[in-house]
Amino acid sequence: MAASPPQAVSIVLVGMPGCGKSTVGRHLARQFGYRFTDSDSDIEARLGHSIREHFERYGEASFRDLEQTVIGELSGEGRVVLATGGGAVLREVNRLALRRGGNRVVYLRSSPEELARRLRHDTQRPLLQGGDALKKLRDLFRVRDPLYREVAHYVIDAGRTSLPTLVNLVAMQ
């Protein structure tokens, strides 16, 4: 088992939808004795309905405003493993918030092709609905990969790595 990070540090996981942020985050939190939180789950709890429904009713800009508020609150807590939504890095204010304090940001990188394979039956992610999911993932990746890299302290290939190996790779950082 890896040593626990310093007390005030939070671990922030960023990456494309379906790369494993929530799954890895839950395991890391358990391993370090930290609280786990997922910004998208927090947002849904506040809304009282799904993010997909919010996108349909109010649009992406409204969602990103709420996401910014939630990221600002959650990224300031210590001893938390925070799994962010895939688009959390789109706003500079979020990228700054994610890196503040003693936070350690880890980018779980997966190729669009691997993500398409993992998400082929997913019906809940609003930006991937309708049309060619692989093309959409490639387009999202092209925009987001540089932003994930900008905010990350560490980049870990999450492609076909097993969950235990991935958790250990993140913990060792």
Side-chain angles (χ1 to χ4, degrees):
M1 177 146 111
S4 180
Q7 297 295 359
V9 170
S10 287
I11 300 166
V12 178
L13 301 174
V14 299
M16 291 285 288
C19 71
K21 299 179 297 281
S22 296
T23 303
V24 169
R26 277 190 281 281
H27 283 79
L28 282 171
R30 204 172 353 207
Q31 182 171 332
F32 290 145
Y34 280 19
R35 183 172 75 81
F36 171 74
T37 190
D38 179 299
S39 63
D40 282 350
S41 295
D42 189 287
I43 290 168
E44 287 184 336
R46 293 178 190 214
L47 291 172
H49 56 261
S50 71
I51 290 171
R52 180 179 181 178
E53 189 176 335
H54 193 80
F55 260 72
E56 290 169 0
R57 284 187 191 173
Y58 307 105
E60 184 175 358
S62 172
F63 169 75
R64 297 292 174 206
D65 290 342
L66 180 55
E67 180 180 57
Q68 180 177 323
T69 299
V70 169
I71 293 290
E73 292 170 9
L74 296 176
S75 64
E77 298 180 18
R79 297 181 50 84
V80 169
V81 176
L82 170 61
T84 62
V89 297
L90 293 173
R91 290 188 176 179
E92 182 179 15
V93 67
N94 289 348
R95 294 191 303 276
L96 294 171
L98 293 173
R99 284 188 64 107
R100 79 172 168 218
N103 293 350
R104 291 292 170 246
V105 182
V106 179
Y107 170 22
L108 299 180
R109 187 180 182 284
S110 290
S111 71
E113 292 75 18
E114 176 64 23
L115 295 167
R117 185 188 65 76
R118 287 184 192 174
L119 298 172
R120 66 187 173 275
H121 301 298
D122 188 294
T123 61
Q124 296 306 307
R125 298 172 201 264
L127 292 178
L128 300 180
Q129 301 311 304
D132 183 349
L134 178 57
K135 181 187 179 323
K136 289 179 182 182
L137 286 164
R138 285 179 176 151
D139 291 345
L140 290 173
F141 186 84
R142 193 172 10 269
V143 171
R144 294 177 181 183
D145 180 65
L147 300 175
Y148 296 137
R149 289 177 183 279
E150 174 189 323
V151 75
H153 294 96
Y154 310 102
V155 178
I156 295 177
D157 181 15
R160 293 189 178 241
T161 307
S162 72
L163 177 60
T165 301
L166 193 52
V167 170
N168 284 333
L169 285 170
V170 175
M172 287 188 310
Q173 301 303 320

